[in-house]
Amino acid sequence: MPYGTNLPVDFLIFVAVLGMIFPIIIAYLTGLYFHFSNIESLFLGVTFAATSVSISVVVLQEMKHLNSQEGTTILGAAVVDDILAVLALSVLVSLSGNQVSEQGGPQNIGLSLLLQLGYLVLLFILGRWVIPQLMKLSEKLLVPSSEILISLVLCLGLAYSADLTGLSTVIGAFFAGLAIGQTDYKALIDRNVEPIGYAVFIPVFFISIGLKMTFTGIINDFWLFLILSIGGIVSKLLGAGIGAKVASFSWNSSWMIGAGMVSRGEMALIIAQLGLQSHLLSTDRYSAVIGAIIITTLAAPFLLRSTISKLRKSQDKLMD
């Protein structure tokens, strides 16, 4: 398949959807085997359905494969994966909230889901038309760094409003970032917010994860940790790889795409953290799940380097 940046949408859909279905099924069945409840098992599936390509991007850049058809597919499918995972997480958080509510009858659940659906429609309208206009107006405010201030207000405001509707705060913040990222202010905001994130928020986030994780917890739940680690790697490799093959990539290209989607990274860690807060993940099982996420993240660059090397060898043979 020739390289290029013009990527059909169906390529991304095949890779993203199959790359989510396989991990969800494997993690769900694993959860049931280890006596998780149905909703906890579903949450485990959503956790391992997420994709983080921050490490994969570095490997692709180093091996000069980022702008290839395979690299573009990995990046695009990862975005689709994350959107679907965040939506699924919000639904699970909402359902779990209704289950523990004393007034969580069928009518209440129906109204809650209707409200959340309306909020998602509102997010689309805001992201498509309102937020870009607000960012343009921010330039005219007579205050320093007005664009940064407006972007932070939008992020926190949408996160808070998502929480009011019973959805995860992640979904509001995520779509705020997605909408602002489509404007001309993306580079400016990224350049100014990134240092704050790396200096304060990101270290605090990882410290909070580390404080709740113990090696004793991994040892006590070693088989859960092992099966989730192996299943997490194999399910994403097969799911995204088969999705790429369905999208008419060669087998070598398909395995490379699958390898690039293996890393769960910060996205899965965020979902696990929210699951712990929402009682969808018990503290006893937390360490094993976090350990498995870390293993998938560490394995991804090695798998990606290996598959890129195989792809190049196959291309060299065709050229000879």
Side-chain angles (χ1 to χ4, degrees):
M1 177 171 293
Y3 293 155
T5 56
N6 295 325
L7 195 66
V9 175
D10 57 346
F11 284 16
L12 303 181
I13 293 174
F14 285 132
V15 175
V17 172
L18 289 179
M20 287 189 69
I21 290 175
F22 277 56
I24 287 174
I25 292 174
I26 295 299
Y28 175 76
L29 294 176
T30 300
L32 292 180
Y33 180 78
F34 284 95
H35 308 295
F36 284 57
S37 68
N38 273 320
I39 194 165
E40 288 172 339
S41 299
L42 280 173
F43 169 76
L44 199 61
V46 171
T47 302
F48 283 87
T51 300
S52 172
V53 292
S54 53
I55 293 177
S56 298
V57 166
V58 174
V59 176
L60 290 167
Q61 286 177 330
E62 288 179 356
M63 302 194 75
K64 295 180 173 55
H65 226 81
L66 183 60
N67 294 322
S68 67
Q69 191 94 23
E70 294 87 357
T72 307
T73 301
I74 291 171
L75 297 180
V79 172
V80 176
D81 264 7
D82 289 347
I83 292 173
L84 295 176
V86 167
L87 291 173
L89 171 66
S90 294
V91 172
L92 286 177
V93 169
S94 174
L95 290 176
S96 67
N98 282 318
Q99 281 188 358
V100 300
S101 173
E102 294 181 356
Q103 299 177 345
Q107 184 178 5
N108 184 54
I109 294 175
L111 290 173
S112 177
L113 291 175
L114 187 62
L115 177 63
Q116 290 159 12
L117 180 61
Y119 177 75
L120 293 175
V121 173
L122 178 63
L123 277 183
F124 174 78
I125 295 172
L126 291 174
R128 184 67 179 84
W129 292 287
V130 179
I131 290 178
Q133 295 303 317
L134 287 176
M135 293 307 300
K136 288 181 180 179
L137 289 174
S138 67
E139 282 187 300
K140 300 178 181 180
L141 296 178
L142 301 178
V143 293
S145 304
S146 56
E147 298 90 351
I148 312 301
L149 291 174
I150 292 297
S151 66
L152 290 175
V153 169
L154 288 170
C155 176
L156 296 174
L158 290 180
Y160 179 69
S161 60
D163 185 62
L164 290 178
T165 63
L167 292 169
S168 168
T169 54
V170 170
I171 194 168
F174 183 85
F175 276 93
L178 200 63
I180 295 170
Q182 306 305 310
T183 68
D184 297 332
Y185 305 92
K186 175 183 177 181
L188 172 66
I189 293 169
D190 188 54
R191 186 170 61 252
N192 285 274
V193 172
E194 187 176 24
I196 302 173
Y198 279 104
V200 181
F201 297 111
I202 294 175
V204 169
F205 170 70
F206 282 106
I207 288 171
S208 68
I209 290 174
L211 288 173
K212 297 184 182 74
M213 180 181 174
T214 64
F215 289 107
T216 303
I218 294 178
I219 293 171
N220 291 341
D221 262 327
F222 178 75
W223 290 110
L224 174 62
F225 161 72
L226 183 64
I227 293 173
L228 284 177
S229 298
I230 297 173
I233 294 170
V234 173
S235 60
K236 188 68 87 167
L237 183 64
L238 287 177
I242 292 173
K245 184 60 180 175
V246 172
S248 302
F249 282 92
S250 68
W251 276 116
N252 284 321
S253 294
S254 298
W255 293 132
M256 176 194 155
I257 291 170
M261 301 283 288
V262 163
S263 175
R264 302 318 198 274
E266 70 282 352
M267 194 65 198
L269 292 174
I270 292 170
I271 292 175
Q273 195 82 331
L274 289 170
L276 186 66
Q277 295 171 3
S278 304
H279 307 291
L280 291 169
L281 178 63
S282 69
T283 53
D284 296 336
R285 303 299 177 86
Y286 179 80
S287 295
V289 173
I290 295 298
I293 292 170
I294 293 173
I295 292 298
T296 64
T297 306
L298 293 175
F302 296 101
L303 289 170
L304 186 55
R305 288 180 186 276
S306 175
T307 52
I308 290 176
S309 297
K310 289 181 180 178
L311 176 61
R312 285 180 173 170
K313 287 179 182 178
S314 67
Q315 290 172 346
D316 291 341
K317 287 182 180 179
L318 290 175
M319 293 176 66
D320 290 342

